[in-house]
Amino acid sequence: MIPRRIVLSLVAGLASTLLLGACGSSNSAGSDSTAAVDPAASAPTTPAPAASTPAAGATTTAYTVTARAVDGVGTVVTDTNGMTLYRYDKDEPNPSKWTCKGACVQTWIPVIVPESVQTSGVEKSLIGTVHRDGRPQLTLAGWPLYRYVGDTAAGQANGQGKDNQWYAVAPSGQKSAATG
C-alpha cells in the first residue's frame, strides 16, 4: 500500500504543478486600462525568440525578419523561426499604435523583440518598435506586427484575410493582397 500512496502523491503533486504553471502571472496595464496578456504565455506553440543576457564577451542572439515567398500570399515578412508576420487594419502606423488587446492577443500574438533586430530582404529603416506595456513590439513601416496561433509551422499563412482585417505583411509594410 505504501508504494501506491507514493505514486498517488506524486501524481497529485505533478498535476498541481502543471495547473499552477498554466495560471501564469498577470501584468499591470500601462496606459491601457485593460489588463495585458503575456504573449509568450498565451501561445506556447510559437515561442518568442530568447533575448538572453550574454556572459562577458558573448554576443546576444538577434531577432531576424526575412522577406520570404509563402505559398498563397507571395513574398511576405517572416520571423526568426520562419513564421509569417501579420498586420491588423485597426492598428495605426503613424504614429504606431496597437489596438489588439485582451482576447485578441490570445489569437494574434504581438511580436515582442530584443533590442537587436536584423533584416534580410526587408529595408532596415522600415523596422521599429512601439511600446506595449513596457516591452518593444516590432513594427514595419509603423504597423505593429503579430503572429497567428493558427500557423503551426514555418511557411504557413493561415491568418491571411481573417475577419477581412488581418493580413500577412509585405516587406514594404503593405498588406499582402494575395489570398491564402
Side-chain angles (χ1 to χ4, degrees):
M1 279 303 201
I2 290 176
R4 185 175 180 191
R5 284 186 186 162
I6 292 171
V7 171
L8 290 175
S9 295
L10 288 174
V11 170
L14 180 60
S16 296
T17 302
L18 291 173
L19 287 173
L20 288 174
C23 291
S25 62
S26 62
N27 297 334
S28 60
S31 60
D32 187 73
S33 61
T34 305
V37 174
D38 184 355
S42 66
T45 59
T46 54
S52 60
T53 304
T59 58
T60 58
T61 302
Y63 187 88
T64 303
V65 292
T66 304
R68 176 178 173 183
V70 173
D71 288 343
V73 292
T75 301
V76 296
V77 178
T78 61
D79 70 3
T80 298
N81 299 316
M83 303 301 285
T84 301
L85 300 182
Y86 297 87
R87 55 174 265 187
Y88 185 35
D89 280 351
K90 289 187 178 181
D91 286 348
E92 296 177 16
N94 191 15
S96 294
K97 180 181 175 186
W98 51 266
T99 60
C100 177
K101 57 187 172 185
C104 179
V105 297
Q106 301 213 2
T107 301
W108 300 95
I109 303 139
V111 179
I112 305 300
V113 294
E115 288 182 28
S116 178
V117 177
Q118 301 298 317
T119 63
S120 176
V122 178
E123 180 60 43
K124 180 80 170 172
S125 65
L126 296 177
I127 298 293
T129 60
V130 62
H131 288 283
R132 185 177 194 93
D133 302 317
R135 299 179 299 164
Q137 180 176 356
L138 183 66
T139 62
L140 179 60
W143 290 97
L145 299 182
Y146 304 83
R147 281 185 219 83
Y148 177 56
V149 297
D151 290 345
T152 58
Q156 293 180 340
N158 297 320
Q160 177 68 6
K162 290 285 185 195
D163 302 322
N164 292 319
Q165 297 175 338
W166 290 95
Y167 297 92
V169 65
S172 64
Q174 298 297 316
K175 58 187 173 184
S176 171
T179 56

